[in-house]
Amino acid sequence: MAKRESLRPWQEFGNYNRASKPANIAVISRRVAHNVSYYYTNYAFISALLIVYCVISSPLLLLAIVVSGTACYLISTQKKGKVVQIGGHSFTPKDQAVVCACISLPLLFFCQRRNSYILGDRVNV
């Protein structure tokens, strides 16, 4: 079944009248497993919308994603074994990827903090 066909009706997805208090932990885990598998496409759609909103509403985050993505692309398209010399140090493509990740991850984390309230994060940095 295609992903679009597996999108469940939103009225069914948001029907709180069918909710009841679970009897025990086993019932909770069974319900969660069923809901995640049954409404997978609905959850994916909501997550995608939140990600798009976060990126669009934060130009700094969009810039950080473009810079990080460009750096990763440039590293991946280099000739194999090409070593870059910076300040007397040699960096292989693997070293370059590690440096790119070490710079990109904190940068992306810092840039996304502005939109963290969307996901329910109440901790201020």
Side-chain angles (χ1 to χ4, degrees):
M1 180 171 9
K3 291 293 179 195
R4 188 158 195 237
E5 294 171 358
S6 67
L7 185 66
R8 305 294 179 187
W10 292 103
Q11 295 82 9
E12 179 185 336
F13 178 72
N15 185 0
Y16 294 107
N17 294 331
R18 297 185 331 167
S20 63
K21 184 178 177 184
N24 55 34
I25 295 290
V27 174
I28 292 172
S29 64
R30 190 171 51 245
R31 282 187 188 180
V32 169
H34 176 265
N35 283 339
V36 168
S37 65
Y38 189 75
Y39 294 112
Y40 175 80
T41 308
N42 295 65
Y43 287 122
F45 185 78
I46 291 170
S47 299
L49 283 178
L50 285 173
I51 289 169
V52 167
Y53 176 75
C54 288
V55 169
I56 289 174
S57 67
S58 175
L60 186 60
L61 180 59
L62 184 59
L63 179 66
I65 290 171
V66 168
V67 168
S68 297
T70 303
C72 291
Y73 174 76
L74 292 174
I75 291 169
S76 69
T77 57
Q78 286 183 25
K79 291 181 182 176
K80 291 194 181 229
K82 182 178 179 185
V83 177
V84 175
Q85 297 283 337
I86 299 177
H89 297 283
S90 300
F91 293 95
T92 65
K94 185 176 180 180
D95 297 334
Q96 295 169 36
V98 169
V99 169
C100 181
C102 289
I103 293 171
S104 296
L105 292 176
L107 177 66
L108 292 170
F109 178 76
F110 171 75
C111 293
Q112 69 88 23
R113 292 300 297 164
R114 189 175 93 89
N115 290 325
S116 63
Y117 63 88
I118 294 169
L119 305 176
D121 187 5
R122 302 291 182 215
V123 178
N124 295 321
V125 174

